[in-house]
Amino acid sequence: PGMPRVVVVAEGERRLVGLDLRTGEARWTWAARHSGTFRMRRAGRLLIVTSGDAAGTALDLATGERVWRY
């Protein structure tokens, strides 16, 4: 309950797209700094992503905005 109805898919090696499950429309896109294999884990309303470098990035699932990068 209260979670955005979004599925996240990779578009190539540097880009993620959040698709609305009801309409199939793209809600947001996010581009990684380096290309590589995406590893993702959901933590509440955040999507934790790593790809191609040692940094981890947290994205808001509803908007795709970067919340933090470590």
Side-chain angles (χ1 to χ4, degrees), residues 1-16:
M3 294 297 295
R5 299 198 45 98
V6 175
V7 63
V8 179
V9 296
E11 228 181 33
E13 293 184 351
R14 291 193 58 198
R15 190 169 153 166
L16 294 177

Side-chain angles (χ1 to χ4, degrees), residues 27-60:
R27 293 179 78 176
W28 53 264
T29 60
W30 177 78
R33 291 183 179 191
H34 302 284
S35 62
T37 303
F38 285 110
R39 295 187 185 271
M40 299 177 270
R41 177 82 55 178
R42 186 178 65 86
R45 297 183 64 87
L46 298 178
L47 180 68
I48 312 301
V49 180
T50 61
S51 172
D53 60 7
T57 304
L59 303 175
D60 183 303

